[in-house]
Amino acid sequence: MINRTLPLLLALGLTGCASDPAPIEQLRLTEQALAQTKSLGVVSEQSESLRQAEDKFSQARAAMQDGENKQARHLAEQAELDARLAEAEHLNAKGREQLTELNQRIGRLRQQLGAM
């Protein structure tokens, strides 16, 4: 019985030890998301989400250099999501500003029409 289970246990042990591939593509996607967010004018000094994305991206790169590919992938995915969140927050704030401006213009037009 031991002779039969030993190869099976060795095979399972080796597959469990197989390292994850380096998350090169995920790091590229994350870097792209960060660049896109920054191109909109979002700065980490004003956006907590962007600051977190940059921190996690740095941690992901360090983890990959240390050979911790699973952790690196996880951090890179989180960083990408944080960058996308920062972008969405920025666009949402811009939309609110535009809405406020339009409401002010409508109010001025109503005043002008009421004065006639």
Side-chain angles (χ1 to χ4, degrees):
M1 181 71 175
I2 294 177
N3 290 339
R4 290 182 185 169
T5 58
L6 186 60
L8 179 61
L9 290 174
L10 285 174
L12 288 174
L14 290 176
T15 57
C17 294
S19 64
D20 290 324
I24 307 258
E25 181 63 16
Q26 182 59 54
L27 287 171
R28 188 188 65 75
L29 291 172
T30 303
E31 192 168 26
Q32 197 173 41
L34 285 165
Q36 182 175 342
T37 302
K38 290 176 184 179
S39 74
L40 294 173
V42 182
V43 292
S44 57
E45 291 81 18
Q46 297 172 347
S47 172
E48 179 65 25
S49 297
L50 181 58
R51 187 172 26 260
Q52 288 177 357
E54 291 173 335
D55 288 345
K56 288 176 186 173
F57 183 63
S58 294
Q59 291 173 17
R61 290 188 346 191
M64 192 172 92
Q65 288 178 350
D66 292 343
E68 298 174 13
N69 292 341
K70 187 175 183 178
Q71 179 70 8
R73 176 175 282 104
H74 184 69
L75 286 165
E77 288 169 350
Q78 287 181 353
E80 181 185 3
L81 293 174
D82 287 342
R84 299 285 181 209
L85 177 60
E87 179 181 348
E89 290 169 342
H90 176 75
L91 294 175
N92 190 30
K94 288 291 182 187
R96 282 194 310 269
E97 289 173 10
Q98 291 173 345
L99 180 61
T100 299
E101 176 64 29
L102 286 173
N103 282 332
Q104 289 173 349
R105 288 181 185 180
I106 289 170
R108 286 193 297 269
L109 285 173
R110 285 185 177 156
Q111 286 177 346
Q112 290 173 353
L113 289 173
M116 292 183 166

